[in-house]
């Protein structure tokens, strides 16, 4: 075979095998864009096959308000300090009546309305991640050294397009403050990938965070609601209130999905500045996750 014929055959093979792949990816991106229109807002999407690294991102440069999604990197930062011996999971933290701020989501406060109790760091992590408890979250920020320490920890992991500058109490002091705690879809994918690879935390800490991300009642109608039976979803939600115009700043869900058959995906969906009702916003997240599971088949 001459060199010229070989080159021509190689070109034909490349075109033949890659054209369907590009067409499939284009169709998937179009499907995600169509789903996103239902939110009547800005929808950031990040999807990564955690075994191959294949990634799809929508609105990749947009800075989305995280709301309680920031409790995931907070938990990573606290567990890093556990691994370094600065704190322990069994360490007791005193919760006073003054710590129990009014008008904020806190299953911990509902259970202990008078305060004056001692809970372990493990308890606070579970409340924070599994139940998205705002008071437990701020106690962990205080224990870790503040938002700057957590922010610096994330940046040192190489994840740059995330900013954590205000805790839960501080976010209640003005509508625009929540936008200062932002992430791009790609940055959150990167952080999920770091956690999935298990290189920055000890196995014990990774296993504990994995456990509390799977547990808990939040987000039942989001990422996991339309996925196949026996799918494992380790995730963290985030939800804002609405302003006087009826606009919701954030309806989010991010996590790692282990599909039956062995496919592992990181899925990030940020729904921002939407005036759609909660059912429609959550349905958009569910549809994106379902589309991702179908686009990245297990076999």
């Amino acid at each position: 075979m001459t060199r010229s014929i070989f080159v021509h055959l190689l070109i034909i093979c490349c075109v033949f095998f890659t054209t369907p792949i590009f067409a499939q990816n284009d169709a998937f991106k179009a499907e995600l864009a169509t789903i996103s229109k239902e939110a009547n807002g800005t929808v950031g999407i990040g999807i990564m096959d955690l075994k191959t690294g294949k990634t799809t991102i929508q609105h990749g440069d947009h800075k989305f308000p995280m709301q309680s999604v920031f409790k995931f990197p907070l938990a990573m930062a606290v567990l890093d300090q556990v691994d370094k011996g600065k704190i322990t999971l069994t360490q007791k933290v005193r919760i006073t009546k003054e710590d129990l701020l009014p008008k904020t989501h806190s299953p911990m406060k509902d259970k202990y309305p008078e305060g004056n109790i001692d809970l372990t760091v493990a308890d606070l992590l579970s409340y924070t991640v599994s139940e998205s408890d705002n008071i437990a979250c701020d106690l962990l920020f205080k224990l870790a050294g503040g938002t700057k320490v957590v922010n610096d920890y994330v940046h040192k992991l190489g994840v740059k397009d995330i900013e954590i500058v205000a805790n839960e109490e501080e976010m209640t002091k003005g509508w625009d403050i929540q936008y200062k705690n932002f992430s791009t879809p790609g940055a959150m994918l990167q952080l999920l990938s770091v956690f999935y690879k298990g290189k920055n935390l000890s196995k014990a800490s990774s296993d504990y965070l994995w456990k509390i991300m799977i547990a808990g009642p939040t987000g039942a109608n989001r990422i996991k609601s339309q996925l196949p039976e026996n799918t494992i979803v380790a995730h963290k939600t985030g939800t804002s209130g609405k302003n006087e115009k009826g606009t919701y700043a954030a309806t989010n869900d991010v996590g790692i999905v282990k599909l039956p058959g062995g496919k592992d995906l990181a899925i990030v969906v940020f729904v921002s500045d939407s005036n759609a009702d909660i059912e429609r916003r959550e349905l958009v997240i569910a549809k994106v996750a379902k589309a991702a599971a179908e686009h990245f088949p297990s076999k």
Side-chain angles (χ1 to χ4, degrees):
M1 181 185 297
T2 67
R3 177 180 175 82
S4 177
I5 295 174
F6 175 78
V7 171
H8 279 87
L9 286 174
L10 183 61
I11 292 172
I12 290 170
C13 287
C14 288
V15 171
F16 179 78
F17 287 112
T18 59
T19 299
I21 294 174
F22 284 127
Q24 185 183 34
N25 289 339
D26 288 343
F28 179 51
K29 290 178 180 179
E31 180 182 7
L32 296 179
T34 298
I35 294 170
S36 297
K37 291 178 182 178
E38 299 176 22
N40 196 22
T42 303
V43 180
I45 297 172
I47 301 165
M48 178 189 293
D49 183 325
L50 288 164
K51 293 181 178 178
T52 68
K54 182 180 178 183
T55 301
T56 297
I57 294 179
Q58 175 178 288
H59 287 303
D61 295 329
H62 192 88
K63 297 175 179 178
F64 289 90
M66 286 186 287
Q67 275 288 337
S68 287
V69 167
F70 78 163
K71 292 168 182 171
F72 164 54
L74 167 62
M76 290 181 69
V78 170
L79 287 166
D80 176 70
Q81 293 193 19
V82 170
D83 289 341
K84 292 175 179 175
K86 295 180 179 180
I87 57 179
T88 68
L89 286 179
T90 56
Q91 180 177 327
K92 295 291 184 68
V93 177
R94 185 70 176 174
I95 292 97
T96 68
K97 180 76 171 178
E98 290 70 31
D99 292 319
L100 303 180
L101 301 174
K103 298 180 181 180
T104 191
H105 174 72
S106 178
M108 181 183 70
K109 180 182 69 173
D110 295 340
K111 186 173 182 178
Y112 305 106
E114 298 304 316
N116 298 319
I117 55 166
D118 295 308
L119 295 180
T120 66
V121 172
D123 292 332
L124 293 178
L125 281 165
S126 181
Y127 271 118
T128 297
V129 176
S130 297
E131 301 191 60
S132 208
D133 192 296
N134 293 338
I135 294 174
C137 167
D138 282 0
L139 288 168
L140 286 178
F141 269 123
K142 182 178 180 180
L143 184 67
T147 54
K148 185 179 186 304
V149 170
V150 175
N151 197 52
D152 289 346
Y153 165 77
V154 173
H155 290 177
K156 287 176 182 177
L157 293 175
V159 183
K160 302 300 184 182
D161 290 331
I162 289 180
E163 291 293 334
I164 301 170
V165 300
N167 65 19
E168 288 286 357
E169 182 181 5
E170 290 165 340
M171 280 198 290
T172 65
K173 296 178 180 179
W175 177 261
D176 291 337
I177 295 173
Q178 65 188 306
Y179 289 89
K180 296 180 180 180
N181 288 340
F182 69 78
S183 175
T184 63
M188 189 55 63
L189 271 188
Q190 187 182 358
L191 188 61
L192 288 166
S193 178
V194 167
F195 171 56
Y196 174 82
K197 291 175 181 176
K199 294 180 179 180
N200 68 298
L201 295 175
S202 69
K203 186 178 187 304
S205 288
S206 292
D207 288 347
Y208 185 70
L209 182 50
W210 181 260
K211 175 185 173 182
I212 61 177
M213 287 177 73
I214 293 173
T218 66
N221 295 321
R222 299 187 189 183
I223 283 177
K224 57 187 176 183
S225 70
Q226 294 190 16
L227 295 179
E229 189 177 356
N230 298 322
T231 299
I232 297 171
V233 180
H235 68 128
K236 185 69 204 78
T237 57
T239 311
S240 74
K242 63 180 178 179
N243 63 13
E244 67 279 358
K245 297 179 181 178
T247 300
Y248 295 87
T251 309
N252 305 328
D253 203 2
V254 312
I256 296 169
V257 172
K258 298 180 78 69
L259 293 162
K263 183 66 68 176
D264 296 347
L265 303 177
I267 298 177
V268 173
V269 189
F270 294 133
V271 180
S272 185
D273 298 330
S274 167
N275 59 11
D277 59 35
I278 184 65
E279 289 79 14
R280 186 144 49 114
R281 286 177 276 132
E282 292 190 319
L283 184 58
V284 166
I285 296 173
K287 285 183 174 181
V288 168
K290 181 173 185 282
E294 293 173 348
H295 180 71
F296 294 90
S298 296
K299 295 183 180 179

